[in-house]
Amino acid sequence: MAGQYIQVKTATGNQFKAYLATSVDGKGPGIVLCQEIFGVNQAMREKADLLAEEGYSVLVPDLYWRIEPEIELGYGNEDFQRAFELYQQFDENLGVQDIQDSLNFLKTLDVCDTNVEQAVIGFCLGGKLAYLAACRIPELACSVAYYGVGIEKALDESQNIQGKLVLHIAELDQFSPENVRTTIQNTLQKVAKAEVYVYPQVDHAFARPAGEHFNKVAAQFAHERTITALRKTIGPSYDLAALWEEHIRHEFDTRDVPATMATMVAEPYVNHIPTMTGGVGYKQLSRFYQYHFVHQNPKDMSLTPISRTVGATQVVDEFIMSFTHDEEIDWLIPGIAPTGKKVQIPMLGIIKFRGPKLCHEHIYWDQASVLVQLGILNPQGLPVAGVETAQKLIDESLASNTLMPSWSSSESKSVA
C-alpha cells in the first residue's frame, strides 16, 4: 500500500474515510475512484496506487460509510453475499453526492493540481456511479466506467453529459447482456464525447487482478484507453519521446546501468520478442542490463531512425540497427560466436510508459534476416532474406516480391 487513509470533511458537516494515493510527481490532477460492491479493499487501493504512478492524485471514498463504515470484503461466497446485501441498501443518489463532496475535498489538498479539471473512475457499482457523475456533475472533465451495472436504467440522463465519458463493457457480462449493451451503445452514439468499448470473450470484473474473470490483455487495453482519455482531458502531459531518448542514451552511449534503470518504474520489464531475452522486475532486468546487454554491444553499434509515433502512453520506434559482429551479443544472437560480419536489422520498438517512467519494452525484428547475414542460415529455397530487408526499408523502390516464385505468373494478367 503506497497511499494513506484520510478523513474527508464535507461542507454539510459529514465525515467519512477515504484512501489517498499521491501522484508520483508529488502533485497531480485529481481523480475520485469509486469502489466495487466489496468496499475499499486491496484491489481498489492497488487501482489507486497504479493511477498515482500514472501521475494522478487519487481519492477512494468509503461509499458505504452510511451503512457499514470501513468494511472491506474479499471475493468468496460469504463475502459476495454480504457485498450484495450492502449493494441493495446503497442509495445511488447519495453516492453521487459523496463523489461531489470527494471532488471538492480533493481540491483542498496540496497533492491535487487545482489548475486542471478532475475525473471520476469507477468499477462495477462504481462504474454506474461514474456514469451518473458524468450526467450530474457538469464540471467533470472525464468519467470512466468499468462494467457499470444498471447504466441502461439511467440513459435518459445521458443528454446532460458535458465531459468525456468512456465505458468499458465485457461481452460475457451477465449483468449487461447483448440487448442491454446494444441499447447503451445506440443511446451513447448520440453523445459527442462518449466512447463505448466492448471487450470480446471476457466477463464482468475482467480488470480485477484478484478476480476469477481477470483477463490481463483486456485489462491492459482498457487501462491504456483510460489513460489516453485522461491525458487528453486533465493531463498530465509528459514528453515521452524525450524520456525514451534519455533511456537509450544510457543504454548505448554512456552505458550506465544504474542511470538506465533510473528511467524506469520500480518493477519494469523488457522482452526482445525473437530471442525472448530481457528481464521481468528490477532485479532480473538490472542483471540482464549489467551482464548481457549494456556492456555487451559492439562498439560500432548504431541506430538509424526511420519513423516514430508518440501516443498518450507509448512510443513506437521504427529503426535500423547496424553493427559489426565482432563480439558475442547474448540478447540478440545468443550462443553464436563472433563472425566479423556486418549486419543491418530493421527493428520495431514498442515502449510503454507509466507516468514519467518507462514501464516496458517490446522489441521486434526478423531473426532469419540476422542469421542469413551471419552466414548461419542458407536462404536458398527459403522465403527469407538478409540485408535486403534493411535496404528496402530505406529505399522502397527496390524490387518487391523477389521471394515469390509465382510473382512472374501474374505479369500479363489484368488488374481490377
Side-chain angles (χ1 to χ4, degrees):
M1 189 173 75
Q4 60 180 318
Y5 280 100
I6 63 171
Q7 290 292 325
V8 174
K9 299 177 181 179
T10 74
T12 56
N14 290 322
Q15 185 168 295
F16 51 86
K17 199 172 183 180
Y19 179 75
L20 175 66
T22 300
S23 166
V24 66
D25 299 319
K27 175 181 284 192
I31 291 178
V32 168
L33 178 63
C34 302
Q35 66 186 58
E36 298 176 301
I37 63 174
F38 304 97
V40 184
N41 59 9
Q42 182 177 342
M44 287 297 100
R45 294 192 297 270
E46 289 178 354
K47 292 291 184 187
D49 292 342
L50 176 62
L51 289 167
E53 282 193 78
E54 294 282 10
Y56 304 98
S57 287
V58 187
L59 193 66
V60 193
D62 175 13
L63 297 175
Y64 282 161
W65 67 273
R66 294 181 181 86
I67 308 169
E68 188 167 339
E70 301 179 31
I71 189 168
E72 183 178 332
L73 300 171
Y75 305 109
N77 289 334
E78 188 174 326
D79 278 2
F80 180 82
Q81 291 302 320
R82 182 63 186 131
F84 190 69
E85 291 170 5
L86 293 168
Y87 170 62
Q88 291 179 310
Q89 299 174 58
F90 184 75
D91 187 319
E92 291 179 347
N93 295 322
L94 291 176
V96 175
Q97 182 57 57
D98 288 342
I99 293 172
Q100 178 72 80
D101 288 337
S102 297
L103 289 165
N104 292 340
F105 182 78
L106 191 51
K107 289 179 183 177
T108 69
L109 303 179
D110 291 339
V111 299
C112 181
D113 184 354
T114 56
N115 294 317
V116 296
E117 296 176 285
Q118 295 173 296
V120 171
I121 300 176
F123 296 79
C124 185
L125 162 64
K128 170 72 175 296
L129 293 174
Y131 168 78
L132 292 176
C135 298
R136 301 178 187 179
I137 304 177
E139 67 272 21
L140 204 56
C142 185
S143 299
V144 181
Y146 283 77
Y147 30 85
V149 177
I151 289 175
E152 71 279 3
K153 299 175 184 178
L155 286 175
D156 59 319
E157 295 191 49
S158 64
Q159 61 186 333
N160 301 322
I161 297 173
Q162 296 185 32
K164 183 81 168 179
L165 173 67
V166 179
L167 299 190
H168 301 299
I169 301 176
E171 183 186 41
L172 304 182
D173 193 337
Q174 61 180 316
F175 303 111
S176 184
E178 184 176 1
N179 64 313
V180 169
R181 294 198 309 270
T182 300
T183 300
I184 292 173
Q185 288 176 299
N186 290 342
T187 302
L188 293 182
Q189 278 181 352
K190 305 167 187 174
V191 178
K193 297 182 180 180
E195 298 175 3
V196 180
Y197 299 104
V198 178
Y199 295 82
Q201 298 302 305
V202 298
D203 209 334
H204 186 81
F206 68 83
R208 184 202 303 151
E212 63 175 313
H213 296 147
F214 177 61
N215 184 287
K216 184 176 181 180
V217 173
Q220 288 179 336
F221 204 174
H223 180 74
E224 180 181 340
R225 285 168 165 163
T226 295
I227 298 302
T228 298
L230 292 172
R231 293 279 191 261
K232 291 179 178 179
T233 52
I234 65 173
S237 178
Y238 297 108
D239 189 343
L240 301 187
L243 294 169
W244 171 232
E245 290 288 350
E246 180 71 1
H247 177 82
I248 59 179
R249 184 173 73 86
H250 291 305
E251 281 185 320
F252 296 103
D253 295 341
T254 68
R255 304 205 180 199
D256 185 331
V257 172
T260 300
M261 296 301 298
T263 66
M264 310 184 85
V265 297
E267 293 297 317
Y269 82 88
V270 168
N271 184 7
H272 298 114
I273 307 298
T275 52
M276 298 183 293
T277 55
V280 178
Y282 186 92
K283 185 176 181 180
Q284 274 197 21
L285 187 55
S286 57
R287 169 188 164 191
F288 170 75
Y289 275 148
Q290 182 70 39
Y291 300 106
H292 304 278
F293 185 83
V294 170
H295 301 298
Q296 206 193 48
N297 285 317
K299 300 297 183 293
D300 68 346
M301 180 172 280
S302 64
L303 309 179
T304 302
I306 301 297
S307 70
R308 171 171 290 172
T309 303
V310 181
T313 64
Q314 65 185 28
V315 174
V316 178
D317 258 5
E318 184 183 26
F319 58 97
I320 291 175
M321 175 175 282
S322 305
F323 60 89
T324 303
H325 186 217
D326 53 11
E327 58 180 287
E328 288 193 31
I329 311 174
D330 282 349
W331 67 274
L332 181 69
I333 323 165
I336 302 299
T339 62
K341 302 253 178 109
K342 298 277 189 181
V343 178
Q344 293 183 47
I345 317 169
M347 285 188 165
L348 188 72
I350 300 174
I351 304 91
K352 177 78 73 175
F353 287 82
R354 188 179 300 154
K357 297 285 189 176
L358 195 153
C359 179
H360 73 238
E361 296 177 40
H362 293 165
I363 310 296
Y364 299 80
W365 69 87
D366 177 10
Q367 188 71 344
S369 172
V370 178
L371 299 179
V372 168
Q373 292 180 65
L374 296 179
I376 296 170
L377 177 64
N378 183 354
Q380 189 68 35
L382 297 175
V384 298
V387 72
E388 298 85 2
T389 62
Q391 293 170 338
K392 185 164 176 55
L393 181 59
I394 296 173
D395 182 1
E396 71 277 6
S397 68
L398 294 178
S400 299
N401 307 318
T402 57
L403 298 178
M404 291 170 52
S406 65
W407 176 239
S408 60
S409 68
S410 64
E411 186 172 1
S412 60
K413 293 181 179 179
S414 60
V415 178

